[in-house]
Amino acid sequence: MIELGSATGIVRCYTRHMRIEFTSQVFKEGRMFVAHTPELDISSCATTKTRALKTLEEAVRLFLEEAEKNGSLENLLKEAGFSQRKHVLVGPRLLHSKRMTVPLPPAHAQA
C-alpha cells in the first residue's frame, strides 16, 4: 500500500490498482537509443527508440515493485514529487527544456 501526503490529508492506495505517469526522454548514444525518466532517474537502452521506451517501462515497473517490497516506495515517490490524482500517480511536469552551452575553463577547453 502507498500513502502519499496531500493537502487534504493522507491518500491511501494499492499499487496493483494504480498507474504511474512519468516523463520519458530519448536520446541517441552511438548506435543505441537511451530512454530516461528524470523523475525516477531510471534509464534503459536498446537498438530502437520503440524498444528503449518499452524496456524503460519494464525497468520502472521492476524498480517500483522492488521499492514496494523493501518498504521504501512511499518515501521514494514523495521525494520525487509524485502526487495522486484518482488512480494515477503523477510526477512533476517538465516546464522547460532547452539545449544550452556554457564555456569551459581554459584547462578543459583543449579536449
Side-chain angles (χ1 to χ4, degrees):
M1 182 165 34
I2 302 171
E3 295 181 358
L4 292 179
S6 72
T8 58
I10 298 296
V11 179
R12 293 190 169 112
C13 60
Y14 290 92
T15 56
R16 65 181 164 267
H17 301 293
M18 297 294 297
R19 294 177 304 153
I20 187 165
E21 181 182 298
F22 55 89
T23 304
S24 64
Q25 301 170 323
V26 179
F27 57 95
K28 197 155 185 194
E29 199 171 272
R31 293 182 177 176
M32 299 298 287
F33 290 86
V34 179
H36 178 252
T37 174
E39 296 96 334
L40 299 169
D41 197 21
I42 298 173
S43 296
S44 185
C45 63
T47 55
T48 67
K49 176 183 169 186
T50 302
R51 188 72 187 134
L53 288 167
K54 192 71 169 167
T55 56
L56 177 64
E57 286 179 16
E58 180 69 6
V60 167
R61 186 185 63 74
L62 292 171
F63 176 75
L64 295 174
E65 283 178 8
E66 286 302 310
E68 185 174 34
K69 283 180 191 175
N70 70 33
S72 63
L73 183 58
E74 176 187 345
N75 192 47
L76 182 144
L77 293 172
K78 280 183 186 178
E79 287 182 4
F82 281 84
S83 59
Q84 184 177 351
R85 296 191 189 130
K86 295 190 180 188
H87 294 286
V88 180
L89 297 172
V90 180
R93 296 268 182 216
L94 180 64
L95 298 178
H96 178 77
S97 181
K98 178 181 177 182
R99 193 155 193 86
M100 299 179 70
T101 303
V102 177
L104 291 173
H108 298 302
Q110 296 176 359

